[in-house]
Amino acid sequence: MGESVLRIGLVLPDVLGTYGDSGNATVLRQRLRWRGMPAEVLEIGYGQPVPDSLDAYLLGGGEDEAQALACDYLRAHPGLCRAAARGSVVFGVCAGLQILGTSFVTGDGRRHDGLGLLDATTTPGRRRAVGEVVVDTAGGVGVGPLTGFENHLGITAVGPGSVPLGQVSAGAGNGDGGDGAVTGQVLATYLHGPVLARNPALADLLIGWMTGAPPAALPMPEVDELRRERLRAARGGTRR
């Protein structure tokens, strides 16, 4: 028998496709292949069944209407939630973070139930957070500083059932000094970029969760230099 293929679900890219977050799936697949581990990306579009048998599920960003539509669909088609219950990796960005939480309020004042995979609630802030972000993960998942950019109005409160991904040293993140949320192998952040392209260590953390062991190193000096440049630029900005 051939080596088993790791399957990555790109969830509703036709609805949650803002800021190129679908690139995160490409990054995971390629970093697995570079290590000799077969991997494929399965795009799960609106109107298609959501399988519960994949190794990882990725959700991207979207505006209020798209976010509410996606959340309603995933509650009605609970394959992702069933997979998370058995230990599949789930990764969300921006709207994905809010959908994975317990509830969120859209700009029209309506409260929506989330999927409840993270203990996090989101309400609209007074001003939009836009710009570069730096997140120190030393108190969270411990993959070093993360860089990305944000564009959101949400203020996210993380409850005791989750922990923040890390603490913000530039930008806004959740709006309370932290960014994102983590529970088990469910992880989410406000960082776009795509964030896994800008932060290979975070991608490799997810790969380690998928495979059950930390992956071998992939030395890439060009990527490391780009990260240093982005960190210098972001830390030279002002906190929003």
Side-chain angles (χ1 to χ4, degrees):
M1 296 178 63
E3 189 173 358
S4 62
V5 177
L6 291 162
R7 297 193 298 163
I8 302 160
L10 183 57
V11 181
L12 303 180
D14 47 348
V15 179
L16 301 173
T18 306
Y19 302 128
D21 293 317
S22 60
N24 289 318
T26 304
V27 171
L28 279 186
R29 179 182 62 192
Q30 189 58 46
R31 291 186 73 81
L32 283 161
R33 289 178 174 177
W34 280 333
R35 293 178 168 101
M37 291 180 275
E40 63 182 17
V41 174
L42 174 65
E43 293 194 6
I44 306 164
Y46 191 83
Q48 295 178 327
V50 182
D52 61 7
S53 57
L54 307 184
D55 300 285
Y57 297 77
L58 276 62
L59 295 81
E63 299 302 323
D64 280 1
E65 184 176 347
Q67 178 177 330
L69 179 68
C71 191
D72 288 345
Y73 189 80
L74 293 174
R75 284 194 292 108
H77 300 80
L80 186 155
C81 291
R82 289 198 299 265
R86 65 170 179 77
S88 290
V89 174
V90 181
F91 178 66
V93 175
C94 199
L97 162 61
Q98 297 180 17
I99 289 169
L100 293 172
T102 53
S103 69
F104 58 90
V105 177
T106 46
D108 58 7
R110 294 178 59 203
R111 180 188 180 278
H112 303 263
D113 290 332
L115 302 184
L117 300 181
L118 294 170
D119 186 2
T121 59
T122 302
T123 55
R126 297 182 63 183
R127 56 182 295 188
R128 198 165 190 86
V130 181
E132 288 287 309
V133 190
V134 177
V135 178
D136 179 1
T137 67
V141 297
V143 293
L146 305 177
T147 72
F149 72 87
E150 62 185 344
N151 186 347
H152 64 95
L153 191 63
I155 300 294
T156 297
V158 178
S162 296
V163 296
L165 172 60
Q167 296 300 305
V168 173
S169 59
N174 292 349
D176 62 356
D179 174 74
V182 185
T183 298
Q185 296 192 153
V186 180
L187 184 155
T189 176
Y190 274 112
L191 275 61
H192 300 284
V195 64
L196 298 187
R198 291 179 61 159
N199 302 279
L202 182 59
D204 286 350
L205 173 72
L206 301 181
I207 287 173
W209 288 354
M210 292 171 64
T211 62
L218 282 176
M220 291 186 173
E222 311 87 3
V223 175
D224 293 340
E225 179 56 31
L226 179 59
R227 275 181 44 75
R228 286 191 289 269
E229 290 178 4
R230 291 190 181 279
L231 280 168
R232 285 193 294 267
R235 285 171 171 160
T238 58
R239 184 165 179 170
R240 301 179 193 278

